[in-house]
Amino acid sequence: MVSSKPFVRDGSDISNGSDDEDDTPLLSRLDSDRSASNRTRTAFQLRIHRAPVNQKTTRFGSNSSGKQEARPSVSHDEPSHEGDTTVSDTVDWKSILGVCLCLFWIHCQPSEAYLTRYLLRDKHISEDDLDKYVWPVDTYVALATLLPLGFLAEIIGYRLVVFIGLLLREATRCILIFGSTVPEMALMQGTYAWASSTDTILIALAFMLVPRSLFQRISVATVCAQHAGSLLGSGIAQVMADRHPDRLVDLFYASWACTSIGVGCFLALVNRPTRPAPTSLVSVLLTEGWHATVALTRKLYTSATVQQWTLWWLLGLSMNGIILNYYQTQFANADPNAKLGALAIGMEVFGLIGALSALGAAKFSLQHRSSVVVIVLTSVVMGVCYLLAVHMWQSIYAVGAFNAVAFGAALFAQAMGAAAVARAIGDDPRYAVVFAINGTLALAWAAILLAVGSDRDWSTNTYYIVAAYNLFTAAGSAVILALILKRFARF
């Protein structure tokens, strides 16, 4: 996205203030804006029921006021693109290409489908050690790092946070190839989890590069880039594993090469965001206190669209994350000699179909009610597929098909949800913070379920059943929340 200040750093310079910055305390501006909003309505807020925080341009990123309803209300529709003075029609296509290429190559990992087999056979690590000491590190480190990285991106800049994550991806590849002990593999899971958390920041950076009219397309493009890379990686994996089944380490060298290409694409093509980032919430906390910080954060979640999708992140996307940890085990239970690369290809094809389908639903997604429809339908489809996969677990074809359909539905919802949330938070472009908060909620719930499952020795099929019921709960909760919002506000 291009603003009137086209070359401001992605957060590091903004925090120092600008010529237009207002030093009036945030809470005082909130009170004055409430009275001003009863007298003024601009073209930008014609469809908004709650005014932005600030009436004039301030360091918090708001530049106009809107008429406030007398009764409590929640914003249901996204802001109109007309009057959006924060960006122009100019798009940094070079940086967008760099983001997509980076996502493509860092997710093109031929070794991914054979990681467990490699650690068991080549590194001589027991399955019990993997379950107790290696795999859990991923969830806990991701949970501990995702939210701080969202705040850090606003302080030191999106690009620097992403670059650190890319270096950790390089470290992950080195440990996998040259390490051999359980502590080293646990460290590998930690570096990988931290690096994966920065994917959220990289995607948020993509939204900083385009106007709101392109949010749906950039959301689909980033999801497709990740899974197109995974698709190519799965194909390479199957070819290499068929030709040299005893040389699994070659797959990890190939993954290292792909990761390095992704780092190169990021460094060569991705510029600083052309849309100025708002003052970091950490700076707000230090200068204005907790009350102002909480008020500003709450403002990001006043939209009914954001509330609906946050609920789905918690109960829906978290279940997709859990299943991605266990689907290979379900494949192995159905057929120990299954071609994992081929099955991964099928999963990624359905995922790409799901993500691309979000492009066709772009106009449909502009209305708040459409979020409810998408959440309900995708949650039900995913839940039913998980239950059917459990019911027919002895057939590798049935298990593969149901997992693939559920994966496609999840990516469709993910692409729709990211675009809807980015549009709904309006003129305060804290995409990294909102995505990080929602992702942290999902990881926290997943970590709780994984801890309970580990304590009670849940089987793989039990995780599938739990995921299905969580998804049905997400569908029901979306309907209930919509009815509540309809009762207390305009819907």
Side-chain angles (χ1 to χ4, degrees):
M1 300 180 182
V2 178
S3 70
S4 57
K5 296 181 180 181
F7 296 108
V8 181
R9 291 183 183 271
D10 33 328
S12 55
D13 292 346
I14 297 296
S15 60
N16 295 327
S18 64
D19 295 338
D20 297 327
E21 185 175 296
D22 188 353
D23 293 329
T24 305
L26 172 62
L27 295 180
S28 300
R29 292 200 299 274
L30 283 167
D31 294 336
S32 64
D33 286 341
R34 289 191 186 99
S35 59
S37 65
N38 289 326
R39 302 189 299 270
T40 310
R41 178 185 291 273
T42 67
F44 184 57
Q45 283 94 16
L46 286 178
R47 297 168 61 198
I48 299 298
H49 304 309
R50 181 183 291 274
V53 176
N54 304 300
Q55 178 181 359
K56 61 184 178 178
T57 302
T58 71
R59 58 181 172 174
F60 297 105
S62 179
N63 56 7
S64 59
S65 65
K67 184 177 179 181
Q68 187 176 12
E69 299 287 344
R71 63 178 181 173
S73 62
V74 179
S75 171
H76 297 301
D77 299 318
E78 63 167 305
S80 169
H81 301 312
E82 297 179 8
D84 182 357
T85 59
T86 60
V87 295
S88 71
D89 292 333
T90 304
V91 179
D92 187 355
W93 292 111
K94 176 185 174 183
S95 292
I96 294 171
L97 176 63
V99 169
C100 291
L101 286 176
C102 179
L103 286 169
F104 176 89
W105 285 109
I106 64 177
H107 285 272
C108 180
Q109 301 295 308
S111 60
E112 192 69 20
Y114 291 89
L115 176 60
T116 301
R117 188 179 298 179
Y118 172 74
L119 295 179
L120 290 171
R121 194 189 72 183
D122 293 34
K123 299 298 181 179
H124 307 293
I125 297 176
S126 70
E127 184 176 354
D128 186 60
D129 283 341
L130 288 176
D131 290 339
K132 288 183 177 180
Y133 305 116
V134 178
W135 301 142
V137 173
D138 179 83
T139 299
Y140 299 130
V141 172
L143 178 60
T145 57
L146 181 54
L147 186 57
L149 287 174
F151 293 128
L152 188 62
E154 291 190 339
I155 299 173
I156 67 174
Y158 285 61
R159 289 201 312 163
L160 183 54
V161 171
V162 172
F163 179 65
I164 294 171
L166 293 174
L167 293 181
L168 290 174
R169 284 187 179 274
E170 295 280 350
T172 300
R173 295 300 132 196
C174 291
I175 296 171
L176 278 168
I177 293 172
F178 302 111
S180 59
T181 65
V182 172
E184 287 173 330
M185 293 305 107
L187 176 62
M188 173 275 298
Q189 280 294 96
T191 58
Y192 176 78
W194 184 317
S196 297
S197 294
T198 61
D199 285 359
T200 299
I201 311 304
L202 183 55
I203 293 170
L205 171 61
F207 283 101
M208 297 288 287
L209 296 168
V210 298
R212 292 189 184 92
S213 59
L214 296 179
F215 275 6
Q216 188 79 19
R217 294 182 181 180
I218 202 65
S219 179
V220 172
T222 53
V223 173
C224 286
Q226 295 175 73
H227 294 282
S230 296
L231 176 62
L232 177 61
S234 299
I236 295 173
Q238 193 59 62
V239 171
M240 293 180 67
D242 285 343
R243 291 186 176 182
H244 304 286
D246 297 327
R247 294 266 317 162
L248 292 182
V249 69
D250 291 345
L251 297 174
F252 290 84
Y253 278 108
S255 293
W256 191 6
C258 291
T259 298
S260 299
I261 294 173
V263 175
C265 290
F266 179 81
L267 294 176
L269 298 175
V270 180
N271 300 315
R272 290 190 293 260
T274 51
R275 185 176 190 178
T279 303
S280 71
L281 287 178
V282 174
S283 296
V284 176
L285 175 64
L286 294 176
T287 58
E288 308 264 1
W290 279 102
H291 198 178
T293 306
V294 171
L296 194 56
T297 304
R298 287 180 60 188
K299 177 178 176 286
L300 298 172
Y301 286 86
T302 55
S303 165
T305 298
V306 178
Q307 294 171 15
Q308 291 280 8
W309 282 107
T310 298
L311 187 63
W312 184 81
W313 244 269
L314 174 64
L315 295 174
L317 192 60
S318 60
M319 297 304 102
N320 180 60
I322 287 178
I323 295 304
L324 289 179
N325 286 330
Y326 287 94
Y327 79 94
Q328 287 190 22
T329 304
Q330 193 177 59
F331 289 168
N333 291 338
D335 183 359
N337 298 316
K339 291 183 177 296
L340 299 178
L343 289 168
I345 290 173
M347 293 273 290
E348 297 299 343
V349 167
F350 273 84
L352 285 172
I353 292 173
L356 289 172
S357 299
L359 279 179
K363 293 183 179 180
F364 173 73
S365 68
L366 295 178
Q367 301 299 321
H368 165 66
R369 291 179 181 86
S370 68
S371 293
V372 180
V373 174
V374 171
I375 290 170
V376 170
L377 289 180
T378 54
S379 297
V380 170
V381 168
M382 291 171 66
V384 169
C385 284
Y386 291 156
L387 291 180
L388 289 173
V390 170
H391 181 68
M392 305 178 67
W393 69 270
Q394 292 179 317
S395 170
I396 186 62
Y397 299 105
V399 168
F402 291 130
N403 274 278
V405 172
F407 188 57
L411 293 195
F412 172 75
Q414 182 180 341
M416 295 284 285
V421 167
R423 282 196 304 265
I425 62 177
D427 59 337
D428 193 7
R430 299 183 185 274
Y431 311 122
V433 170
V434 174
F435 291 165
I437 291 175
N438 290 356
T440 300
L441 291 173
L443 283 169
W445 182 233
I448 291 172
L449 292 179
L450 289 171
V452 172
S454 176
D455 182 65
R456 298 187 179 184
D457 293 324
W458 286 354
S459 67
T460 296
N461 284 342
T462 302
Y463 281 106
Y464 271 75
I465 294 171
V466 170
Y469 283 111
N470 268 267
L471 286 158
F472 295 147
T473 302
S477 299
V479 174
I480 293 172
L481 179 58
L483 293 175
I484 293 174
L485 294 174
K486 185 176 182 180
R487 171 65 179 83
F488 291 103
R490 292 180 180 179
F491 192 71

PDB file of all heavy atoms in Angstrom, residues 18 41 73 86 113 166 204 217 254-255 297 361:
ATOM      1  N   SER A  18       5.863  12.064  14.441  1.00  0.00           N
ATOM      2  CA  SER A  18       5.904  12.746  13.159  1.00  0.00           C
ATOM      3  C   SER A  18       5.495  14.184  13.381  1.00  0.00           C
ATOM      4  O   SER A  18       5.105  14.613  14.467  1.00  0.00           O
ATOM      5  CB  SER A  18       4.965  12.060  12.160  1.00  0.00           C
ATOM      6  OG  SER A  18       3.645  12.174  12.599  1.00  0.00           O
ATOM      7  N   ARG A  41     -19.970  13.255   9.950  1.00  0.00           N
ATOM      8  CA  ARG A  41     -19.869  11.965   9.274  1.00  0.00           C
ATOM      9  C   ARG A  41     -19.147  12.198   7.954  1.00  0.00           C
ATOM     10  O   ARG A  41     -19.532  13.057   7.179  1.00  0.00           O
ATOM     11  CB  ARG A  41     -21.244  11.367   8.992  1.00  0.00           C
ATOM     12  CG  ARG A  41     -21.140  10.042   8.238  1.00  0.00           C
ATOM     13  CD  ARG A  41     -22.507   9.505   7.854  1.00  0.00           C
ATOM     14  NE  ARG A  41     -23.248   9.071   9.007  1.00  0.00           N
ATOM     15  CZ  ARG A  41     -23.161   7.848   9.523  1.00  0.00           C
ATOM     16  NH1 ARG A  41     -22.377   6.957   8.981  1.00  0.00           N
ATOM     17  NH2 ARG A  41     -23.864   7.513  10.580  1.00  0.00           N
ATOM     18  N   SER A  73     -23.318  -0.235  19.755  1.00  0.00           N
ATOM     19  CA  SER A  73     -23.393  -0.901  18.455  1.00  0.00           C
ATOM     20  C   SER A  73     -22.059  -1.519  18.127  1.00  0.00           C
ATOM     21  O   SER A  73     -21.037  -1.175  18.679  1.00  0.00           O
ATOM     22  CB  SER A  73     -23.787   0.095  17.353  1.00  0.00           C
ATOM     23  OG  SER A  73     -22.827   1.115  17.232  1.00  0.00           O
ATOM     24  N   THR A  86      -5.222   6.568   3.422  1.00  0.00           N
ATOM     25  CA  THR A  86      -3.954   6.013   3.900  1.00  0.00           C
ATOM     26  C   THR A  86      -3.143   5.389   2.794  1.00  0.00           C
ATOM     27  O   THR A  86      -1.964   5.157   2.958  1.00  0.00           O
ATOM     28  CB  THR A  86      -4.211   4.966   4.990  1.00  0.00           C
ATOM     29  OG1 THR A  86      -5.002   3.915   4.454  1.00  0.00           O
ATOM     30  CG2 THR A  86      -4.904   5.583   6.189  1.00  0.00           C
ATOM     31  N   ALA A 113       7.610 -34.721   4.443  1.00  0.00           N
ATOM     32  CA  ALA A 113       6.812 -35.948   4.523  1.00  0.00           C
ATOM     33  C   ALA A 113       7.585 -37.110   5.144  1.00  0.00           C
ATOM     34  O   ALA A 113       6.979 -38.081   5.602  1.00  0.00           O
ATOM     35  CB  ALA A 113       6.314 -36.343   3.133  1.00  0.00           C
ATOM     36  N   LEU A 166      13.862 -16.230   9.076  1.00  0.00           N
ATOM     37  CA  LEU A 166      14.493 -16.941   7.964  1.00  0.00           C
ATOM     38  C   LEU A 166      15.850 -17.516   8.375  1.00  0.00           C
ATOM     39  O   LEU A 166      16.223 -18.623   7.959  1.00  0.00           O
ATOM     40  CB  LEU A 166      14.652 -16.001   6.766  1.00  0.00           C
ATOM     41  CG  LEU A 166      13.346 -15.550   6.098  1.00  0.00           C
ATOM     42  CD1 LEU A 166      13.636 -14.510   5.018  1.00  0.00           C
ATOM     43  CD2 LEU A 166      12.607 -16.736   5.501  1.00  0.00           C
ATOM     44  N   ALA A 204       1.306 -10.667   7.217  1.00  0.00           N
ATOM     45  CA  ALA A 204       0.840  -9.326   7.602  1.00  0.00           C
ATOM     46  C   ALA A 204       1.561  -8.249   6.796  1.00  0.00           C
ATOM     47  O   ALA A 204       0.963  -7.233   6.407  1.00  0.00           O
ATOM     48  CB  ALA A 204       1.063  -9.113   9.095  1.00  0.00           C
ATOM     49  N   ARG A 217      -7.361 -10.827  -2.725  1.00  0.00           N
ATOM     50  CA  ARG A 217      -6.396 -11.431  -3.640  1.00  0.00           C
ATOM     51  C   ARG A 217      -5.068 -11.711  -2.949  1.00  0.00           C
ATOM     52  O   ARG A 217      -4.451 -12.756  -3.182  1.00  0.00           O
ATOM     53  CB  ARG A 217      -6.173 -10.526  -4.852  1.00  0.00           C
ATOM     54  CG  ARG A 217      -7.405 -10.387  -5.739  1.00  0.00           C
ATOM     55  CD  ARG A 217      -7.117  -9.514  -6.954  1.00  0.00           C
ATOM     56  NE  ARG A 217      -8.302  -9.362  -7.790  1.00  0.00           N
ATOM     57  CZ  ARG A 217      -8.335  -8.651  -8.915  1.00  0.00           C
ATOM     58  NH1 ARG A 217      -7.240  -8.032  -9.328  1.00  0.00           N
ATOM     59  NH2 ARG A 217      -9.456  -8.569  -9.606  1.00  0.00           N
ATOM     60  N   ALA A 254      18.036 -30.990   0.019  1.00  0.00           N
ATOM     61  CA  ALA A 254      17.158 -30.306  -0.939  1.00  0.00           C
ATOM     62  C   ALA A 254      16.312 -29.245  -0.234  1.00  0.00           C
ATOM     63  O   ALA A 254      16.122 -28.135  -0.756  1.00  0.00           O
ATOM     64  CB  ALA A 254      16.260 -31.325  -1.639  1.00  0.00           C
ATOM     65  N   SER A 255      15.811 -29.570   0.950  1.00  0.00           N
ATOM     66  CA  SER A 255      15.032 -28.596   1.710  1.00  0.00           C
ATOM     67  C   SER A 255      15.886 -27.395   2.107  1.00  0.00           C
ATOM     68  O   SER A 255      15.423 -26.248   2.091  1.00  0.00           O
ATOM     69  CB  SER A 255      14.455 -29.248   2.967  1.00  0.00           C
ATOM     70  OG  SER A 255      13.483 -30.225   2.635  1.00  0.00           O
ATOM     71  N   THR A 297      -6.556  -1.734  21.820  1.00  0.00           N
ATOM     72  CA  THR A 297      -6.664  -3.131  21.400  1.00  0.00           C
ATOM     73  C   THR A 297      -8.126  -3.541  21.237  1.00  0.00           C
ATOM     74  O   THR A 297      -8.490  -4.240  20.282  1.00  0.00           O
ATOM     75  CB  THR A 297      -5.978  -4.050  22.419  1.00  0.00           C
ATOM     76  OG1 THR A 297      -4.613  -3.628  22.592  1.00  0.00           O
ATOM     77  CG2 THR A 297      -5.992  -5.492  21.946  1.00  0.00           C
ATOM     78  N   ALA A 361     -15.206 -16.208  -4.308  1.00  0.00           N
ATOM     79  CA  ALA A 361     -16.147 -15.768  -3.273  1.00  0.00           C
ATOM     80  C   ALA A 361     -15.805 -14.378  -2.760  1.00  0.00           C
ATOM     81  O   ALA A 361     -16.307 -13.972  -1.707  1.00  0.00           O
ATOM     82  CB  ALA A 361     -16.143 -16.762  -2.119  1.00  0.00           C
TER      83      ALA A 361
END
